[in-house]
C-alpha cells in the first residue's frame, strides 16, 4: 500500500487511478471543490478525500473520466461524495456513465452542490437506469420543487433504492406532493428523511405512506421562519408507531383520512398538536374502520366537548383500540359523559358497547368534570367489566367527597387493576384515606393506586395505603422476575450415592460394611476394621427386598446411599429414582465375580460385561432424559466376592479387559473413575479404600454441582425437627409446610396481602422443588403434600405395589387391575407398624387416597374408566407376559390393510428404552386415547410388553422389543386406507412414545407388510424393515416416470435351514402414505426449480386436472328414491377418490414434463461446454479433473479447494462426448499440498460446473433416458452421504460430491458476452496448471497418462475434435475415432 506522502498531490493520485495501481483499494471517495488548496488525504485504508481548489478545477473532470476507465474503481468503490460541486452537463454525463458501469456503488451524496434544470434531468435519468445504488442524499443543493419532482419521477421506475435524504433544499409543498405520488407507486423505498423550511411538507408524505401501508421509515424536520430545528413527523414501522409533533388542522385531517384502512400503525401519538372538532369528525370514521390501531394519545390537543363526542361515537363501533389518552384537553362534564358512555351499562339487560378498550385517561386544569362527569365516572366504575386502567390527571374540579364516592363504587368493580389520580387537588382528607382503606379491604383486585403530587401523598398519609397494597412506594413493587434474587446460594451439603447392580451382587452387605467404616471412624474402635461382619445364615438366605436408603454424616456433609433393588420386578421403578438436573450424586455399579454367593461358579467375562453394560446404558439413557445435566454422570465400578478367588486367573484378566472396553465405549457419556475396586463386601477392612473414595468423591461432586438456595440447607434441619415433634411422620401436607415456613423461616414469611402472597407461594414451591432435586424430600407440584421419608416411600410403598398378588385377590388371570379400596388397604397396611397402634397417627394428616392420587399423577397407574369413581386401577408393572399365547389379529380379511413402523434408538449400543419406559407408555397412551373427542369407544388392552388398541376400525399393536429392548414396533391392521392408518400412528402413537423419551433419538423404519399380516415373531423381523428416510431419498434419485414403479426388495429369512420368509418386494408407493409421497413430490419440485434457476429456464405450469363439480349432499330418505340417492352419493365419493388419484398421477406427469424440458436444456449447455473445451486444439493433457481425499479406508470428493489442504489425489474423467464417466481402478496422481497458485488457477474451475451437476444429479438426470452418461456419475466416490452440507435427499449427497467434474462458463445470460473471454482465460489457466503439475510428476507423455489415468488421446472422425477417452470407449467406438498419440 502506498503511503499518504506518495498520494498528496492530485497528479500522483490521478496516475494511480489510471494505472489501476494495487495500492488503491478504495471503497469510498469524497471530492471537495472550491477549497483553498488542493491535495489528497487517505482517511482510512479504503477511503480517500480529494480537495481541489478553483484553479485546478480541470482535475475534477479528469478524475471522473479516469474513474470510468479504471476497472478497480468501477468494481471496488461503494460510496461517492461530492461537496461544493457546480455541475455542468458534460460532468453529469460522465458521472452517469460511471454509475452505469459501476457494480458496487451503494451510496451517493451531494452536499452544497449546484444543479441547473438540465443537470437535474440527467441525474433523474441516471437514477432511473441504475439498479445498484441503495442510498442517495441531497443536502443544501438547491434542488427545490423541480428537483424533487424529477427525483419522484425517477423513483417511480427505480425499484432498488432504499433510502432517500433531502436536507435544507426547500422542496416545498409542490415537491412534497410529487414525492407523495412516488410513494404511491414505489414499494421498495425503506427510509425517507426530509428537512425543509416549511412544515406543510410533512403532510402529503406521511399521508401517502400511511394510506399505502408502506413499511417505510419517515422522518421530517422543519426550521420554519428561523425557528429552531424541530421534528414534524416520525413513523417507525418496526414498532408500528406514528408520532406527529407539528401539523395544522388541514394536515391532521388528511392524515386521519389515510388511517382508515391502514394496517401498519398501531400507536398514534398527537400530543401537543392543536386539534379541532373537524379533525375529530374524520377520526370518528377512522375508529369505525381501522382494525389494527391499539393506542391513541391525544393529550394536550385542545379538544373540546364536540370533538370528544365524535371520538366517543367512534368507540361504539371500534373493536381494536386498547388505550386512549385524553388528559390535558378542554372538555367538560358533558364530554366525560359521552366518552364513558360506550364503556358503561345503563341497565342489567344492556350489553357494554365497547369491550376492547382497557385504559382511559382524562383530566387537566382546563377539564371541568363537574356533576355530569362524576355521575358518568361512577356509572362506568360500577358497571364496566373490561377497563383495567383509569387515569384522572391534574383535576381541580372534583372535591374530596367526589373521590370518596369513586372509591366506594370501586368496591363493586372486579376489573380495574390500576387507578391514577396524579395531581388531583381533591385527593385529601382523613375521610378519603379511610374510604381508600375500606375499599382495599373489600376489593382484592386493585394492584396500584398512583397518588403522586396529591395533597394526600404530600402530607404523608398515603404510606398506609401503599402498605395495604403490599408496597411502600412504586419503586418497591416486587416483580415476578425478581422473586428469587434475594435468596442467597450456597454449596449443597447433601450427596447421594446410587448402588446399582444385579441381584446377588452384595449391595446390601457392602452398604453394611461401609456403615461400619463410618461408625468406626467416629467411635475410634480400630479392631472392628479387621473383623468380618458375620451374617446370619437366615439373613443370608433372605435377599434385600425393595430399595433401601442409608444415611451417614461425614463432618458437615450428609451422604445417603440409595440401594437400588437388583430384582427384575423393581426395574420399572428405577427411572423414578434417577437424580434430576444439578443433583449432587454419583453411581457405584456393583457386580459379583460369581453367579451366586452360595457356590464357586465364576461368571464369564461376557456375563460381567453384560451386567455392567445394562447399568451403563440405564445411566446414559436417563441422563439424556433428564434436562440440563451440568456434568457427566460419575461412575465407579466395584467387583465383589473377590475373596473367593484363591489366585489370580486368566479369567480375571479377561474381565479387566472387558471393563476397559466398556470404558472406551462409553467415553464421553459417563465420567469413569479410573480404579476398579475388587473387594470382599463382608469385610470392613476390605472396603476401607472404597469408603474413602465415597467420602472424597462426595466432596468433589458437591463442589462441582450448581449451588442451591441457603434456605434448603436450613430447611433440612427444620424439617427434621418437625418430624421429631410429630411422631416421625413420613409425609406432611402442603398446608403444614406453609405454616412451618410462616413460623420458622423468615425468608418465606408472608408480610402483606394479595400479590405478595402469590409471590411467596411461588418462592416456597421453588424451595420445595430444590429439596426434591437434592433428594431430601419427594415433592410434585399440585399434589398437596411432601414425602419426608424417602426410604419409607421407596422401600415400603412402591415396593409393595410391585409385589401385589392380584391373582389371589381376583382368582382370575393377572391382568394388572386392582380396586381402589384394595390398593388403599395395602398402602394403609404398609404404613402401620408391626405393633398395633404404633405409626397409626400417620393417617391423621395423610390418607392412603393421597398416595393413590400421587400414583395417578405420576402415571404409575390409571383408572380404567375416569368417569367412574369406583373404577378399577391398572398397575402396569404387575402385568404378566403373554408368552405361549397364539399371536393373531382379532379380525382378518384379504381386503384389510397391514402396515407397521419400527422405532429404534439411534445409538442403541449406549442407550435403550429403560424398564420403566414401557409401563409409563401404557399409562400415558391410555390417557391420551381417553382424552380424544372422537375415540368412539376405543378398546385398550395390555400385556407385559404389549399394548393393543382398537379405535375407529384400526387395530394397533405396540410391542416392546424385549424387556431390555432398544426398539418398539407399531403394527396396524386396518379397514381404512394407508394414509388414514398412518395418520393415526403419527398423530397419536408415535408422539406419545417420543414424549416419554426426551434426549433419546428414535429413527422410524417401515416394517415389511407380510410380517405385519402374519404377526411374524420379532426375532425373525430383525432384517425386515427399511428406513423411512432412506426410502424417500431413493425415490428422489430415480426419474419421475419411475417413482410409481420403484420397488424395495426384502431378503429371505430362515431358521436352522427352515424357510420362514421368502424373498419378495413391495412398491415404494404402497409403503408410503399420501402425505409422505407428496413430501417426496414437493422436494422433487424444489430440486427441479433450483435446476431451472441455474439453467435460466422459465418455469411452465404443467396441465392441471380439473376438480369435479359435486352436487351438494342431500338427506337420504327411507324410500326407494332416497336409497337410490344414497347410492349415488357413495358413487360420487368414489369418483372423488378416483379424481384424487388422477391428481397425484398428473403431478407425476407434470414432473416428467418439467424434467424433460430441463434435460433438453441441460443437454444443450453441457454439449456446448464439451465442444468449447475441445476447441482448444492442442489438448496435450486431459482437463476434466476432480480431487479425492482418502479417509478411513473410503474416498471423499473435494468440493472446494483451500490453500494448505494436504494428501489429495487428482483423477480424470473419460471425456467421450455425451458419455463422460469416472474410470474404474484409476491410479491418479497424489497432490501433497495445495498452494496459492493451485487455488488461484482451480477456484473458478471448481465452483462453476458443480452447481449444474449438483441439481442434475438430484433429479436423476444421469439416469434419464437419452441422457445416460451425459453427466458423470461420481456417486461411487462419496463416502459420507448423510454429512454432506449440500445434501437434500440421498441424490443431493451424490451431487455434493461432484465438485470438480468439468470446467464451464457461468450460465447467466446477461453476462455471456462479458464472460466468454474470462472463460477462455480460466480454461487456459486450468490446462496450464494441469500441464505443469503432470510435468512435475513426470507424467507428461501419452504413455504416462495412460498408465496413471487409463486415458488415451483420440480425434473424432466426423468433426476432428480432440478428446481423452478410456480403453472401453477405445474398443466400443473404434469406428468413430482415430488415436492421436503424443
Amino acid at each position: 500500500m502506498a503511503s499518504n506522502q506518495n498520494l498528496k498531490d492530485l497528479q500522483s493520485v490521478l496516475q494511480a487511478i489510471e494505472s489501476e495501481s494495487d495500492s488503491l483499494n478504495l471503497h469510498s471517495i469524497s471530492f471537495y471543490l472550491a477549497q483553498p488548496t488542493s491535495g489528497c488525504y487517505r482517511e482510512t485504508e479504503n477511503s480517500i478525500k480529494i480537495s481541489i481548489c478553483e484553479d485546478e478545477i480541470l482535475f475534477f473532470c479528469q478524475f471522473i473520466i479516469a474513474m470510468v476507465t479504471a476497472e478497480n474503481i468501477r468494481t471496488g468503490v461503494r460510496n461517492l461524495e461530492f461537496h461544493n460541486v457546480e455541475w455542468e452537463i458534460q460532468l453529469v454525463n460522465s458521472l452517469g456513465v460511471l454509475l452505469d458501469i459501476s457494480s458496487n456503488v451503494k451510496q451517493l451524496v451531494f452536499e452544497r452542490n449546484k444543479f441547473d434544470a438540465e443537470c437535474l434531468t440527467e441525474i433523474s435519468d441516471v437514477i432511473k437506469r441504475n439498479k445498484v445504488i441503495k442510498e442517495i442524499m441531497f443536502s443544501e443543493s438547491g434542488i427545490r420543487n423541480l428537483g424533487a419532482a424529477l427525483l419522484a419521477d425517477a423513483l417511480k421506475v427505480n425499484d432498488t433504492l432504499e433510502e432517500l435524504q433531502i436536507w435544507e433544499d426547500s422542496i416545498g409543498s409542490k415537491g412534497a406532493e410529487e414525492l407523495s405520488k412516488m410513494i404511491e407507486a414505489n414499494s421498495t423505498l425503506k427510509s425517507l428523511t426530509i428537512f425543509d423550511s416549511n412544515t406543510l411538507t410533512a403532510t402529503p408524505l406521511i399521508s401517502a405512506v400511511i394510506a399505502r401501508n408502506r413499511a417505510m421509515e419517515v422522518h421530517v424536520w422543519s426550521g420554519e421562519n428561523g425557528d429552531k430545528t424541530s421534528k414534524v413527523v416520525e413513523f417507525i414501522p418496526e414498532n408500528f408507531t406514528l408520532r406527529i409533533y407539528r401539523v395544522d388542522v388541514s394536515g391532521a385531517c388528511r392524515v386521519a383520512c389515510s388511517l382508515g384502512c391502514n394496517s401498519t400503525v398501531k400507536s398514534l401519538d398527537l400530543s401537543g398538536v392543536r386539534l379541532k372538532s373537524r379533525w375529530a369528525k374524520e377520526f370518528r370514521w377512522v375508529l369505525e374502520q381501522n382494525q389494527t390501531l391499539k393506542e391513541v394519545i391525544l393529550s394536550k390537543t385542545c379538544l373540546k366537548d364536540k370533538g370528544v363526542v365524535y371520538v366517543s361515537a367512534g368507540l361504539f363501533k371500534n373493536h381494536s383500540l386498547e388505550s386512549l389518552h385524553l388528559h390535558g384537553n378542554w372538555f367538560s362534564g358533558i364530554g366525560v359523559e359521552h366518552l364513558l358512555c360506550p364503556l358503561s351499562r345503563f341497565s342489567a339487560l344492556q350489553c357494554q358497547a365497547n369491550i376492547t378498550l382497557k385504559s382511559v385517561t382524562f383530566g387537566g386544569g382546563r377539564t371541568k368534570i363537574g356533576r355530569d362527569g362524576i355521575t358518568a365516572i361512577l356509572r362506568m366504575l360500577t358497571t364496566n367489566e373490561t377497563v383495567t386502567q383509569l387515569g384522572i390527571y391534574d383535576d381541580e374540579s372534583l372535591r374530596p367527597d367526589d373521590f370518596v364516592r369513586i372509591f366506594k363504587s370501586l368496591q363493586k368493580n372486579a376489573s380495574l387493576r390500576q387507578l391514577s389520580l396524579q395531581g388531583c387537588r381533591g385527593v385529601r382528607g382523613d375521610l378519603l384515606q379511610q374510604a381508600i382503606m375500606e375499599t382495599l379491604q373489600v376489593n382484592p383486585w386493585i394492584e396500584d393506586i398512583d397518588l403522586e403530587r396529591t395533597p394526600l401523598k404530600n402530607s404523608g398519609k398515603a404510606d398506609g395505603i401503599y402498605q395495604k397494597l403490599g408496597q411502600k412506594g412504586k419503586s418497591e413493587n416486587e416483580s415476578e422476575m425478581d422473586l428469587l434474587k434475594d435468596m442467597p446460594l450456597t454449596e449443597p451439603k447433601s450427596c447421594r450415592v446410587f448402588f446399582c447392580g444385579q441381584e446377588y451382587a452384595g449391595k446390601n452387605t457392602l452398604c453394611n460394611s461401609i456403615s461400619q467404616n463410618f461408625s468406626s471412624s467416629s467411635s475410634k474402635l480400630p479392631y472392628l476394621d479387621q473383623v468380618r461382619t458375620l451374617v446370619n445364615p437366615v439373613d443370608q438366605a433372605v435377599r434385600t427386598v425393595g430399595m433401601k436408603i442409608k444415611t451417614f454424616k461425614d463432618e458437615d456433609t450428609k451422604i445417603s446411599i440409595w440401594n437400588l433393588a437388583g430384582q427384575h420386578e423393581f426395574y420399572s421403578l428405577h427411572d423414578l429414582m434417577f437424580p434430576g438436573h444439578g443433583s449432587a450424586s454419583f453411581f457405584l455399579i456393583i457386580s459379583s465375580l460369581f453367579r451366586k454367593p452360595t457356590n464357586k461358579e465364576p461368571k464369564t467375562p461376557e456375563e460381567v460385561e453384560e451386567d455392567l453394560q445394562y447399568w451403563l446404558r440405564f445411566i446414559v439413557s436417563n441422563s439424556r432424559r433428564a434436562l440440563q445435566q451440568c456434568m457427566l454422570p460419575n461412575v465407579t465400578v466395584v467387583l465383589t466376592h473377590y475373596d473367593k478367588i484363591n489366585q489370580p486367573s486368566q479369567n480375571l484378566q479377561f474381565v479387566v479387559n472387558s471393563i476397559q472396553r466398556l470404558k472406551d465405549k462409553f467415553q464421553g457419556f459417563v465420567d469413569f473413575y479410573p480404579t476398579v475396586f475388587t473387594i470382599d463386601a463382608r469385610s470392613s477392612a476390605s472396603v476401607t479404600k472404597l469408603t474413602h473414595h465415597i467420602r472424597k468423591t462426595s466432596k468433589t461432586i458437591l463442589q462441582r454441582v450448581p449451588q442451591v438456595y441457603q434456605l434448603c440447607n436450613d430447611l433440612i434441619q427444620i424439617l427434621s425437627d418437625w418430624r421429631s415433634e410429630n411422631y416421625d411422620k413420613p409425609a406432611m401436607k402442603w398446608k403444614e409446610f406453609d405454616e412451618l415456613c410462616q413460623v420458622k423461616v423468615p425468608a418465606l414469611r408472608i408480610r402483606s396481602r394479595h400479590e405478595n402472597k402469590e409471590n411467596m407461594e411461588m418462592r416456597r414451591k421453588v424451595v420445595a422443588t430444590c429439596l426434591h432435586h437434592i433428594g431430601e424430600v419427594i415433592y410434585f407440584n399440585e399434589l398437596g403434600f411432601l414425602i419426608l421419608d424417602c426410604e419409607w416411600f421407596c422401600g415400603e410403598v412402591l415396593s409393595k405395589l410391585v409385589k401385589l398378588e392380584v391373582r389371589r385377590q381376583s382368582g382370575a388371570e393377572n391382568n394388572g387391575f386392582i380396586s381402589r379400596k384394595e390398593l388403599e388397604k395395602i398402602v394403609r397396611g404398609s404404613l402401620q407398624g408391626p405393633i398395633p397402634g404404633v405409626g397409626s397417627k400417620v393417617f391423621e394428616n395423610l390418607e392412603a387416597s393421597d398416595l393413590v392420587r400421587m400414583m395417578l399423577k405420576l402415571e404409575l397407574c390409571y383408572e380404567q374408566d375416569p368417569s367412574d369413581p369406583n373404577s378399577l386401577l391398572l398397575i402396569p408393572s404387575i402385568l404378566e407376559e403373554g408368552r405361549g399365547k397364539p399371536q393373531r389379529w382379532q379380525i382378518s380379511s384379504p381386503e384389510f390393510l397391514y402396515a407397521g413402523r419400527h422405532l429404534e434408538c439411534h445409538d442403541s449400543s449406549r442407550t435403550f428404552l429403560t424398564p420403566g419406559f414401557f409401563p409409563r407408555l401404557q399409562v400415558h397412551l391410555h390417557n391420551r386415547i381417553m382424552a380424544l373427542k372422537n375415540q368412539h369407544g376405543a378398546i385398550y388392552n395390555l400385556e407385559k410388553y404389549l399394548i393393543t388398541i382398537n379405535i375407529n376400525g384400526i387395530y394397533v399393536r405396540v410391542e416392546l422389543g424385549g424387556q431390555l429392548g432398544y426398539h418398539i414396533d407399531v403394527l396396524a391392521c386396518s379397514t381404512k386406507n394407508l394414509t388414514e392408518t398412518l395418520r393415526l400412528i403419527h398423530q397419536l402413537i408415535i408422539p406419545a412414545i417420543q414424549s416419554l423419551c426426551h434426549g433419546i433419538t428414535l429413527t422410524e423404519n417401515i416394517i415389511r407388510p407380510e410380517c405385519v399380516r402374519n404377526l411374524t415373531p420379532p426375532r425373525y423381523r430383525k432384517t425386515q424393515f427399511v428406513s423411512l428416510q432412506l426410502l424417500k431419498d431413493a425415490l428422489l434419485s430415480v426419474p419421475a416416470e419411475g417413482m410409481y414403479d420403484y420397488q424395495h426388495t426384502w431378503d429371505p429369512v430362515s431358521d436352522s435351514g427352515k424357510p420362514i420368509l421368502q424373498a419378495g418386494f413391495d412398491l415404494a408407493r404402497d409403503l408410503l402414505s399420501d402425505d409422505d409421497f407428496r413430501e417426496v413430490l414437493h422436494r422433487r419440485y424444489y430440486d427441479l426449480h433450483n435446476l431451472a434457476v441455474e439453467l435460466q429456464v422459465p418455469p411452465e405450469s404443467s396441465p392441471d386436472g380439473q376438480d369435479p363439480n359435486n352436487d351438494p349432499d342431500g338427506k337420504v330418505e327411507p324410500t326407494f328414491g332416497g336409497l337410490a340417492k344414497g347410492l349415488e352419493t357413495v358413487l360420487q365419493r368414489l369418483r372423488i377418490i378416483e379424481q384424487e388419484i388422477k391428481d397425484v398421477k398428473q403431478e407425476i406427469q407434470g414432473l416428467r414434463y418439467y424434467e424433460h424440458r430441463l434435460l433438453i436444456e441441460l443437454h444443450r449447455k453441457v454439449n456446448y461446454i464439451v465442444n468449447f473445451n475441445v476447441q482448444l486444439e492442442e489438448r496435450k493433457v486431459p482437463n476434466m479433473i476432480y480431487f479425492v481425499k482418502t479417509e478411513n479406508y473410503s474416498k471423499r470428493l473435494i468440493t472446494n479447494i483451500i490453500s494448505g489442504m494436504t494428501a489429495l489425489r487428482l483423477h480424470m474423467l473419460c471425456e467421450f462426448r455425451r458419455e463422460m464417466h469416472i474410470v474404474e481402478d484409476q491410479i491418479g496422481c497424489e497432490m501433497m499440498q495445495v498452494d496459492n497458485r493451485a487455488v488461484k488457477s482451480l477456484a473458478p474451475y471448481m465452483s462453476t460446473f458443480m452447481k449444474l451437476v449438483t441439481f442434475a444429479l438430484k433429479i436423476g438426470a444421469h439416469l434419464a433416458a437419452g441422457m445416460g452418461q451425459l453427466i458423470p456419475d461420481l456417486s461411487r466416490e462419496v463416502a459420507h452421504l448423510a454429512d454432506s452440507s449440500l445434501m437434500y435427499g440421498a441424490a443431493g449427497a451424490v451431487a455434493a460430491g461432484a465438485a470438480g467434474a468439468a470446467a464451464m462458463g457461468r450460465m447467466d445470460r446477461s453476462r455471456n458476452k462479458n464472460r466468454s473471454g474470462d472463460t477462455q482465460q480460466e480454461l487456459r489457466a486450468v490446462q496450464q496448471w494441469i500441464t505443469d503439475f503432470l510435468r512435475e510428476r513426470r507424467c507428461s507423455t501419452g504413455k504416462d497418462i495412460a498408465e496413471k489415468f487409463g486415458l488415451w488421446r483420440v480425434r473424432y472422425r466426423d468433426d476432428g475434435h480432440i478428446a481423452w477417452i478410456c480403453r472401453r470407449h477405445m474398443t466400443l467406438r473404434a469406428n468413430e475415432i482415430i488415436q492421436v498419440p503424443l
Side-chain angles (χ1 to χ4, degrees), residues 168 263 282 510 541 585 639 944 1159 1309:
E168 300 186 74
S263 61
E282 297 291 342
L510 177 59
S585 58
L639 300 178
K944 188 75 171 180
L1159 291 176
R1309 294 178 177 176

Side-chain angles (χ1 to χ4, degrees), residues 1010-1028:
E1010 183 180 350
C1011 294
V1012 181
R1013 180 187 301 109
N1014 301 326
L1015 289 181
T1016 304
R1019 63 181 181 275
Y1020 300 132
R1021 296 202 302 256
K1022 292 181 179 179
T1023 60
Q1024 300 300 299
F1025 57 83
V1026 59
S1027 169
L1028 174 63

Side-chain angles (χ1 to χ4, degrees), residues 217-276:
E217 187 172 342
V218 179
H219 300 274
V220 180
W221 277 272
S222 176
E224 192 173 14
N225 300 326
D227 293 343
K228 294 182 179 179
T229 301
S230 61
K231 181 169 280 191
V232 180
V233 169
E234 175 184 75
F235 175 57
I236 303 176
E238 285 78 8
N239 55 14
F240 309 100
T241 301
L242 172 61
R243 294 185 179 91
I244 300 178
Y245 301 92
R246 296 171 59 191
V247 70
D248 59 9
V249 176
S250 298
C253 292
R254 183 170 178 178
V255 172
C257 292
S258 66
L259 281 169
C261 299
N262 176 269
S263 61
T264 59
V265 178
K266 293 185 178 180
S267 177
L268 173 64
D269 189 350
L270 287 166
S271 301
V273 178
R274 193 176 184 115
L275 301 174
K276 293 187 178 181

Side-chain angles (χ1 to χ4, degrees), residues 89 201 258 460 897:
I89 188 61
T201 306
S258 66
L897 180 136

Side-chain angles (χ1 to χ4, degrees), residues 580-833:
H581 62 84
S583 175
S585 58
F586 61 100
F587 300 86
L588 262 62
I589 302 182
I590 303 166
S591 179
S592 174
L593 292 170
F594 292 83
R595 292 175 180 170
K596 287 188 178 182
T598 55
N599 57 39
K600 294 187 177 181
E601 185 179 358
K603 285 183 180 179
T604 63
E606 291 76 16
E607 289 175 324
V608 175
E609 183 176 357
E610 183 181 355
D611 289 348
L612 299 178
Q613 184 165 247
Y614 166 78
W615 291 105
L616 287 171
R617 292 171 68 189
F618 166 78
I619 293 170
V620 172
S621 301
N622 271 297
S623 63
R624 291 281 187 89
R625 190 167 57 91
L627 302 178
Q628 302 178 11
Q629 285 292 314
C630 60
M631 61 183 183
L632 294 177
N634 189 289
V635 173
T636 300
V637 177
V638 179
L639 300 178
T640 59
H641 299 123
Y642 182 70
D643 57 299
K644 295 186 178 183
I645 299 179
N646 298 325
Q647 59 183 6
S649 63
Q650 189 176 10
N651 187 67
L652 182 61
Q653 183 59 42
F654 289 154
V655 170
V656 173
N657 294 339
S658 65
I659 294 175
Q660 185 58 46
R661 288 195 302 270
L662 287 177
K663 288 184 177 181
D664 296 337
K665 179 179 179 180
F666 286 88
Q667 190 67 33
F669 294 87
V670 297
D671 184 9
F672 279 103
Y673 186 70
T675 302
V676 177
F677 290 91
T678 54
I679 61 171
D680 173 13
R682 297 176 299 166
S683 172
S684 299
S686 179
V687 300
T688 301
K689 292 183 178 180
L690 180 59
T691 304
H692 176 72
H693 165 69
I694 291 175
R695 285 173 168 166
K696 183 178 178 181
T697 305
S698 297
K699 294 184 181 296
T700 303
I701 294 292
L702 290 172
Q703 293 173 358
R704 293 172 58 188
V705 297
Q707 292 184 322
V708 299
Y709 298 112
Q710 176 66 46
L711 286 176
C712 294
N713 290 336
D714 299 338
L715 269 171
I716 291 173
Q717 185 60 43
I718 294 173
L719 290 173
S720 178
D721 296 340
W722 183 88
R723 287 197 65 195
S724 300
E725 298 170 0
N726 291 272
Y727 308 101
D728 282 337
K729 284 186 177 181
M732 70 185 308
K733 292 189 174 181
W734 184 255
K735 181 180 179 181
E736 295 173 324
F737 183 73
D738 278 340
E739 294 174 355
L740 186 66
C741 293
Q742 188 71 23
V743 176
K744 299 288 186 180
V745 189
L748 298 179
R749 185 175 298 157
I750 298 176
R751 294 183 174 85
S752 59
R753 59 188 302 273
H754 188 61
E755 189 70 23
N756 196 3
K757 181 179 179 181
E758 293 181 355
N759 295 343
M760 192 57 65
E761 187 76 5
M762 185 181 299
R763 288 167 67 110
R764 292 173 179 175
K765 290 181 179 180
V766 168
V767 173
T769 303
C770 185
L771 288 172
H772 171 83
H773 286 320
I774 64 178
E776 290 298 328
V777 302
I778 296 178
Y779 164 72
F780 296 97
N781 195 12
E782 299 177 358
L783 287 181
F785 57 87
L786 291 84
I787 300 297
L788 305 181
D789 191 341
C790 300
E791 181 178 7
W792 162 79
F793 184 75
C794 298
E796 298 295 332
V797 179
L798 294 181
S799 298
K800 299 291 185 188
L801 295 177
V802 172
K803 299 187 66 179
L804 291 177
E805 293 291 341
V806 179
R807 186 183 295 108
R808 185 181 61 185
Q809 303 295 333
S810 62
E813 187 178 7
N814 186 357
N815 60 357
F817 285 95
I818 185 174
S819 68
R820 184 186 295 265
K821 291 183 178 180
E822 183 64 26
L823 181 57
E824 292 179 0
K825 178 181 177 181
I826 294 173
V827 173
R828 187 177 293 106
S830 65
L831 292 176
Q832 292 176 343

Side-chain angles (χ1 to χ4, degrees), residues 1007-1223:
I1007 300 177
R1008 182 176 180 176
E1010 183 180 350
C1011 294
V1012 181
R1013 180 187 301 109
N1014 301 326
L1015 289 181
T1016 304
R1019 63 181 181 275
Y1020 300 132
R1021 296 202 302 256
K1022 292 181 179 179
T1023 60
Q1024 300 300 299
F1025 57 83
V1026 59
S1027 169
L1028 174 63
Q1029 188 59 45
L1030 288 181
L1031 188 61
K1032 291 180 181 179
D1033 294 339
L1035 283 179
L1036 285 171
S1037 64
V1038 300
E1041 63 269 18
M1043 297 180 74
Y1044 257 98
D1045 301 326
Y1046 181 82
Q1047 301 172 353
H1048 178 76
T1049 304
W1050 305 105
D1051 296 330
V1053 177
S1054 60
D1055 185 4
S1056 301
K1058 178 182 178 181
I1060 304 298
L1061 289 169
Q1062 301 293 334
F1065 68 88
D1066 282 295
L1067 294 175
R1069 183 63 187 91
D1070 295 337
L1071 298 176
L1072 297 176
S1073 67
D1074 292 347
D1075 300 331
D1076 292 330
F1077 195 70
R1078 287 188 181 275
E1079 178 188 345
V1080 175
L1081 294 181
H1082 293 161
R1083 289 172 61 182
R1084 191 60 167 261
Y1085 273 124
Y1086 176 83
D1087 294 338
L1088 289 173
H1089 172 72
N1090 286 334
L1091 180 58
V1093 171
E1094 194 65 28
L1095 294 175
Q1096 298 295 320
V1097 177
E1100 293 183 8
S1101 58
S1102 58
D1104 297 329
Q1106 299 296 325
D1107 294 332
N1109 295 323
N1110 299 326
D1111 295 332
D1113 294 335
K1115 294 183 179 179
V1116 179
E1117 300 177 358
T1119 62
F1120 286 107
L1123 292 176
K1125 185 175 182 181
L1127 179 61
E1128 178 63 27
T1129 301
V1130 174
L1131 295 175
Q1132 185 69 15
R1133 291 185 62 187
L1134 291 176
R1135 284 194 289 271
I1136 293 174
I1137 295 174
E1138 182 181 2
Q1139 183 62 37
E1140 290 178 352
I1141 296 175
K1142 290 181 180 179
D1143 291 343
V1144 176
K1145 291 185 176 180
Q1146 285 176 356
E1147 286 193 38
I1148 298 291
Q1149 186 65 29
L1151 278 174
R1152 294 176 59 187
Y1153 170 73
Y1154 201 9
E1155 285 185 5
H1156 178 70
R1157 292 182 56 244
L1158 296 181
L1159 291 176
I1160 293 175
E1161 185 67 14
L1162 187 63
H1163 183 289
R1164 184 182 67 80
K1165 294 196 173 182
V1166 176
N1167 192 48
Y1168 162 76
I1169 296 304
V1170 176
N1171 292 335
F1172 185 84
N1173 288 340
V1174 299
Q1175 289 172 12
L1176 301 175
E1177 289 297 335
E1178 297 182 8
R1179 296 302 310 278
K1180 293 182 178 180
V1181 294
N1183 65 356
M1184 311 295 277
I1185 66 172
Y1186 63 96
F1187 292 94
V1188 171
K1189 186 177 181 66
T1190 302
E1191 291 181 351
N1192 299 327
Y1193 305 102
S1194 61
K1195 295 180 180 180
R1196 181 172 64 86
L1197 270 159
I1198 302 302
T1199 61
N1200 191 19
I1201 289 289
I1202 301 174
S1203 180
M1205 297 178 71
T1206 58
L1208 304 183
R1209 185 166 287 276
L1210 179 135
H1211 290 273
M1212 298 183 179
L1213 297 169
C1214 172
E1215 302 173 356
F1216 195 88
R1217 54 190 175 189
R1218 293 183 298 279
E1219 296 183 11
M1220 292 182 294
H1221 64 91
I1222 66 170
V1223 180

Side-chain angles (χ1 to χ4, degrees), residues 194-209:
I194 305 291
F195 181 91
D196 201 83
S197 59
N198 193 342
T199 57
L200 296 177
T201 306
T203 300
L205 297 176
I206 194 62
S207 299
V209 170

